[in-house]
């Protein structure tokens, strides 16, 4: 998995394949009770980026707006409140 910012990368979307990769080492470090939610949110977040790539949703020009939209989408998919 690639590096991103100063934080640990949870998941990434590769539009060339297309493929979503989840940081397995990070997922496996979590308690079992948290792991499913982590994977669900990570996949939902990257699925939003896939939808951007295929033109299903508009792509924001700002990276922070794109990430906020991806987070909101993942939260909605998992019925988790957005922050």
């Amino acid at each position: 998995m690639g590096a991103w910012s100063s934080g640990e990368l949870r998941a990434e979307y590769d539009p060339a394949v297309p493929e979503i990769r989840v940081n397995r080492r990070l997922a496996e470090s979590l308690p079992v009770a948290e792991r499913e939610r982590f994977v669900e949110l990570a996949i939902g977040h990257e699925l939003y980026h896939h939808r951007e790539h295929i033109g299903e949703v508009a792509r924001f020009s700002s990276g922070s707006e794109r990430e906020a939209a991806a987070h909101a989408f993942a939260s909605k998919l998992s019925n988790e409140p957005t922050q």
Side-chain angles (χ1 to χ4, degrees):
M1 301 206 59
W4 188 85
S5 184
S6 61
E8 187 163 24
L9 191 62
R10 295 174 180 225
E12 64 185 347
Y13 169 66
D14 182 354
V17 178
E19 179 177 81
I20 293 172
R21 293 183 285 271
V22 176
N23 185 332
R24 176 185 233 162
R25 187 194 53 73
L26 181 56
E28 289 176 346
S29 74
L30 297 172
V32 173
E34 295 175 33
R35 191 175 304 153
E36 184 175 323
R37 179 171 10 260
F38 167 80
V39 171
E40 182 178 85
L41 289 171
I43 291 172
H45 181 100
E46 300 306 327
L47 182 58
Y48 179 86
H49 292 308
H50 172 69
R51 294 179 73 216
E52 285 179 313
H53 178 72
I54 64 172
E56 198 170 285
V57 296
R59 182 181 169 118
F60 292 101
S61 58
S62 159
S64 61
E65 287 178 311
R66 291 179 62 225
E67 292 304 306
H71 175 76
F73 178 78
S75 295
K76 184 177 179 181
L77 282 180
S78 69
N79 296 315
E80 183 169 293
T82 57
Q83 298 175 357

